[in-house]
Amino acid sequence: MQTSQPDALALRIKQLSVGYRHRSIVSQMTMPPLYSGQLTALIGPNGAGKSTLLRGIAGLHPASGHIELGGHDFSRQPQAERARQLVYVPQSLPAGSKLSAFEAILAAAMAGQKSVGLGLNRPASAQLDAVEQLLGLLNIDTIAHQRLATLSGGQRQLVGLAQALIRRPQVMLLDEPTSALDLYHQCQVIDAILSATREHGLISLMVVHDINLALRYADQVLVLHEGQLVAHGAPGDIITPDLLAQVYQVKGHIAQVNGRYLLDIEGRLSP
Ligand SMILES: Nc1ncnc2c1ncn2[C@@H]1O[C@H](COP(=O)(O)OP(=O)(O)OP(=O)(O)O)[C@@H](O)[C@H]1O
Ligand SMILES: [Mg+2]
């Protein structure tokens, strides 16, 4: 894990509060810095506030507190600038769109350019090539011309990731990007997220329920429980039997197999 990175771009979140009408979900949360080139996994039980937190950071839900990106107050940036710097991939993409997968990805690329006032300066052929490349990278070329409404949940999830990657943001917030995917596509999506994170120096924050994905791929893990950040650090250090018991009420062990950590669950503590 990369711990301190003086030259890396950092996303710093301090005293962030996000909630709904009469209900506070995340209150005064301060997170460790998230650095470019790092993949951070956000884990925690259902209802812990993970999606609410991501939407608050993305500015899609009213939030108070301090969000700083690269030394600048992110919340005070114009909306277009924020949209250029940060993309949020929701838990599920709306199914109602009339666009095909190809058109939806191309539209995301073009929206990114408009948001910084570039119009459509970039040659259309380069954008079309970029879409083709992503379709190939995520192995979804066969559904390129199918309408989103006719895709499976997993296929829509892959299109959502392609829409995010084509924008080349600085920060990528991903809400359960692998939840609807088969094993092959889970590996493919994690590979795509990791290579974009490393090669383009993205700051990537990804919600996952699969503890083994967090153990295997994340540089650091944040654990959210009842709206509180209860632990953070290197996955192998903080995902412990005690944490599994306290946060998930599950009895489990962390085994080491071929030098890798692997979760072994015995069962619920109070069935
Ligand atoms: N639109 C909403 N209005 C009011 N309360 C909401 C709304 N969306 C979520 N909540 C509540 O906020 C809390 C946190 O929800 P959130 O969706 O952030 O959890 P989560 O950690 O993402 O859960 P999951 O793992 O199931 O996706 C829950 O108690 C939920 O009922
Ligand atoms: Mg959620």
Side-chain angles (χ1 to χ4, degrees):
M1 182 198 164
Q2 299 128 298
T3 44
S4 79
Q5 306 200 340
D7 299 329
L9 185 77
L11 178 69
R12 296 176 195 275
I13 293 174
K14 291 177 193 154
Q15 298 185 308
L16 189 77
S17 298
V18 197
Y20 300 97
R21 262 175 168 265
H22 301 294
R23 198 168 157 214
S24 158
I25 302 294
V26 171
S27 178
Q28 300 274 311
M29 177 186 295
T30 293
M31 287 168 44
L34 308 184
Y35 290 110
S36 65
Q38 280 196 358
L39 176 63
T40 300
L42 176 60
I43 65 171
N46 293 127
K50 304 176 297 296
S51 298
T52 305
L53 173 62
L54 290 202
R55 287 199 297 266
I57 298 170
L60 299 171
H61 202 75
S64 65
H66 192 70
I67 303 176
E68 187 187 293
L69 179 61
H72 300 286
D73 187 341
F74 184 70
S75 336
R76 285 172 185 255
Q77 305 270 9
Q79 176 54 33
E81 186 56 20
R82 282 199 277 165
R84 189 183 70 79
Q85 293 175 333
L86 181 147
V87 296
Y88 162 74
V89 183
Q91 235 168 309
S92 53
L93 215 62
S97 169
K98 290 202 170 121
L99 296 181
S100 69
F102 191 100
E103 289 164 342
I105 301 166
L106 186 62
M110 288 159 63
Q113 290 216 321
K114 276 187 198 154
S115 73
V116 284
L118 293 178
L120 297 179
N121 285 345
R122 197 163 138 200
S125 65
Q127 288 185 323
L128 295 172
D129 287 351
V131 177
E132 294 282 2
Q133 248 183 21
L134 271 171
L135 288 165
L137 179 77
L138 297 174
N139 203 26
I140 46 174
D141 0 29
T142 51
I143 53 142
H145 300 293
Q146 243 176 278
R147 282 172 52 181
L148 292 187
T150 68
L151 299 181
S152 76
Q155 289 168 331
R156 269 202 301 280
Q157 212 167 22
L158 291 162
V159 173
L161 178 64
Q163 285 181 307
L165 291 174
I166 206 160
R167 303 273 297 268
R168 290 281 185 91
Q170 291 173 337
V171 181
M172 192 158 63
L173 306 179
L174 303 143
D175 201 346
E176 299 191 36
T178 56
S179 60
L181 301 180
D182 62 54
L183 276 178
Y184 180 86
H185 286 102
Q186 281 185 28
C187 294
Q188 198 166 35
V189 158
I190 290 289
D191 282 349
I193 292 170
L194 264 181
S195 57
T197 303
R198 304 282 192 243
E199 285 163 27
H200 304 303
L202 300 192
I203 296 169
S204 297
L205 177 61
M206 169 177 85
V207 174
V208 280
H209 279 300
D210 185 335
I211 301 292
N212 279 319
L213 280 187
L215 281 166
R216 170 92 169 82
Y217 295 105
D219 296 300
Q220 71 172 338
V221 172
L222 310 179
V223 186
L224 198 63
H225 184 38
E226 296 173 353
Q228 302 286 323
L229 184 64
V230 293
H232 62 85
D237 293 343
I238 60 153
I239 301 177
T240 60
D242 278 353
L243 183 107
L244 296 170
Q246 282 160 22
V247 172
Y248 292 98
Q249 284 79 53
V250 153
K251 185 167 184 182
H253 311 277
I254 307 298
Q256 277 224 15
V257 179
N258 297 330
R260 287 181 188 154
Y261 296 113
L262 214 59
L263 173 64
D264 175 27
I265 288 287
E266 256 181 55
R268 287 178 293 164
L269 280 173
S270 48

